[in-house]
Amino acid sequence: MAGRLRLGELGDSRLSARDKGIPARAIGMTVAEFLASEPRLSEFWTPIVALDDELITNNVDVMAQWCASRGLELMPHGKTTMAPALWQRQLDAGSLGITLATMGQVRTARAFGLDSIMLANSVVDERSLRWLAAELADPALRFVCWADSVATIEAMERGLRGAGTPRPVDVCVELGAPGGRTGARTLAEAHDVARRAAASDVLRLAGVAGYEGALAHDRSDASLDAVRGYVEQQVELHRDLGELYDGDGDLYVTAGGSAYPDVVADVFAGAMAADSRTGDSRTRWTLRSGAYITHDDGFYRQISPFDEGSARAAGPAAAGRLRSAMRGVARVVSHPERGLALLDGGKRDFPFDEGLPIPRQVAADLDGAWEPLADATILAMNDQHSYLGLAGQDVALGSVVSLGLSHPCTTFDKWRYLPVVASQDSDRVVDLVQTFF
């Protein structure tokens, strides 16, 4: 279990006019001072993205309980939020550690005291390897990264030997697929990488890794079969590497983004049962789902088996459902023609790569009564505007629109601070989540 993060400095951060959406009266206050003043979301400037504390708690608990009930470890992908305060909530719920995507993110996480890290990537540059070698002097640090080629192993060896690493770096062989993202393209290539890592004096072969989400983008039978087949290959590779593993330390088999964790868990279940029969307690069968912490109203709502509206009611999420814990709010600033309104939030504020925002409600202002917004669609987005198409009711100039958002990973990176309201029925701000992109 990872230790507690050093979050005290977050409350000491001082708010300024450079911070998008912050109320005017907050400028010059520390975050702690501002939160002590009992702020309301209605004070914030538009556009804004707000989180829901109650629903985040629900989502964290749903995922933690689901993984625990199946004997799975969870190292959620921290690049989704790059928010140490949210990482802590995931760690408190039982996560083994946090997954990150770049060595820059790892360095940020270490600055907050994170001591259990999976890097879902390779480390090949001398600067990062020199820094990593110094960090490994901390005996409490659990660090594991991926490698998908012999050339990667050789680059790591050069950097680590030159830096004089105090202990070997744990490395998982990354299995990929033709046309996919990174990863060895065949089992034979993966075996070559594993043999080379196992023979290294500065690396330790620590398991098998990969990302099945690059193989599919929906829940069709063909997509689910592709994902299942890929994960089965991961398990096969892990079994084949048995004689190459040393006798000490944890091993990892890791997959599982936020789209297909149920498929991954089903495949892992058979392998875990085999481990139980043979007495293997070293392998940590690990998911890396990250977007679940806020879920969304778009891509993940459509594809996740955990969504509150999922038709798979008897499936993996039967004991709990994920709910969207983030929303955008933008103001109507123009009515250039009938059936069209322009909002003051655009691509700089809201995600658009996995679907445009979804108009949900309208109110006279942030402190007004919200009403459903029927037959409305975001037609297009510019940098600072969204085109609101209105086929039914009209919206007044100056009114505000609540927007469902799609894809947490490209929501958080647009905001340094995101206000957290107590619940969907309250505009009381209980936290300001700070991001570090």
Side-chain angles (χ1 to χ4, degrees):
M1 185 69 67
R4 291 199 63 81
L5 303 181
R6 296 190 291 268
L7 302 180
E9 70 178 70
L10 297 180
D12 296 332
S13 298
R14 197 163 294 278
L15 301 170
S16 78
R18 301 174 183 175
D19 298 317
K20 188 166 59 171
I22 295 297
R25 73 173 182 85
I27 296 172
M29 290 184 176
T30 66
V31 169
E33 290 168 344
F34 178 56
L35 293 175
S37 72
E38 301 184 352
R40 296 280 173 172
L41 187 64
S42 54
E43 300 181 67
F44 283 71
W45 291 28
T46 58
I48 195 70
V49 168
L51 308 179
D52 185 308
D53 187 69
E54 184 176 75
L55 297 183
I56 287 174
T57 297
N58 170 80
N59 295 346
V60 169
D61 289 347
V62 165
M63 195 66 177
Q65 292 167 13
W66 185 80
C67 287
S69 71
R70 287 155 178 77
L72 297 169
E73 301 284 3
L74 179 61
M75 295 187 78
H77 219 318
K79 60 94 176 173
T80 298
T81 65
M82 281 306 292
L86 295 182
W87 298 347
Q88 187 66 68
R89 294 175 74 153
Q90 294 168 307
L91 296 170
D92 289 345
S95 293
L96 177 65
I98 298 294
T99 298
L100 295 162
T102 70
M103 284 300 287
Q105 292 176 359
V106 172
R107 186 171 67 176
T108 296
R110 287 293 289 161
F112 284 95
L114 182 63
D115 58 13
S116 183
I117 297 171
M118 177 175 289
L119 176 68
N121 211 334
S122 301
V123 194
V124 297
D125 68 293
E126 182 270 338
R127 299 167 187 80
S128 295
L129 290 164
R130 185 171 61 243
W131 177 87
L132 176 60
E135 291 297 299
L136 289 171
D138 178 0
L141 174 60
R142 174 201 300 267
F143 177 86
V144 57
C145 64
W146 300 0
D148 66 356
S149 70
V150 171
T152 300
I153 299 297
E154 293 173 345
M156 293 188 71
E157 287 179 325
R158 288 192 297 271
L160 291 169
R161 286 172 184 155
T165 182
R167 55 187 167 103
V169 174
D170 283 357
V171 174
C172 288
V173 178
E174 182 187 1
L175 182 65
R181 204 163 65 181
T182 52
R185 287 327 200 214
T186 66
L187 288 172
E189 291 176 6
H191 279 91
D192 290 343
V193 179
R195 284 190 290 268
R196 189 65 178 76
S200 178
D201 60 328
V202 291
L203 303 175
R204 172 182 171 269
L205 179 62
V208 174
Y211 176 53
E212 76 292 343
L215 304 178
H217 215 66
D218 58 35
R219 280 256 164 191
S220 67
D221 289 343
S223 291
L224 295 177
D225 287 346
V227 169
R228 181 175 295 277
Y230 169 77
V231 181
E232 288 172 345
Q233 278 197 319
Q234 278 193 307
V235 173
E236 178 186 348
L237 177 60
H238 175 59
R239 297 301 184 210
D240 290 347
L241 301 184
E243 293 184 357
L244 293 177
Y245 293 134
D246 63 22
D248 300 312
D250 290 335
L251 301 176
Y252 304 86
V253 181
T254 175
S258 295
Y260 307 104
D262 55 327
V263 180
V264 174
D266 283 348
V267 176
F268 280 5
M272 293 166 70
D275 282 354
S276 180
R277 291 192 295 271
T278 61
D280 177 9
S281 60
R282 296 178 62 195
T283 302
R284 294 180 177 269
W285 300 88
T286 306
L287 299 184
R288 303 188 311 277
S289 309
Y292 74 89
I293 191 166
T294 59
H295 198 45
D296 73 6
D297 273 304
F299 175 72
Y300 287 111
R301 182 165 196 178
Q302 295 170 6
I303 201 169
S304 171
F306 299 91
D307 181 68
E308 61 179 324
S310 172
R312 297 170 288 278
R321 295 288 174 179
L322 299 181
R323 300 178 65 187
S324 180
M326 63 179 187
R327 63 185 169 113
V329 182
R331 191 175 302 276
V332 177
V333 292
S334 176
H335 257 309
E337 59 190 67
R338 183 175 178 81
L340 178 65
L342 273 293
L343 307 180
D344 66 355
K347 292 180 179 180
R348 304 289 191 188
D349 312 296
F350 308 131
F352 57 92
D353 60 312
E354 290 286 3
L356 300 181
I358 305 166
R360 296 296 192 196
Q361 296 176 303
V362 63
D365 209 336
L366 283 164
D367 57 356
W370 291 98
E371 298 178 358
L373 184 55
D375 299 322
T377 307
I378 297 298
L379 303 172
M381 298 175 75
N382 297 147
D383 288 349
Q384 308 295 172
H385 292 95
S386 293
Y387 294 67
L388 179 66
L390 298 162
Q393 72 190 87
D394 199 1
V395 293
L397 190 71
S399 60
V400 289
V401 176
S402 177
L403 300 166
L405 304 177
S406 179
H407 202 195
C409 298
T410 50
T411 301
F412 282 82
D413 63 356
K414 295 170 174 54
W415 296 89
R416 184 181 178 203
Y417 290 104
L418 295 96
V420 184
V421 297
S423 72
Q424 59 185 333
D425 299 320
S426 171
D427 81 334
R428 181 169 60 90
V429 173
V430 297
D431 201 1
L432 278 180
V433 164
Q434 189 169 353
T435 66
F436 294 87
F437 286 95

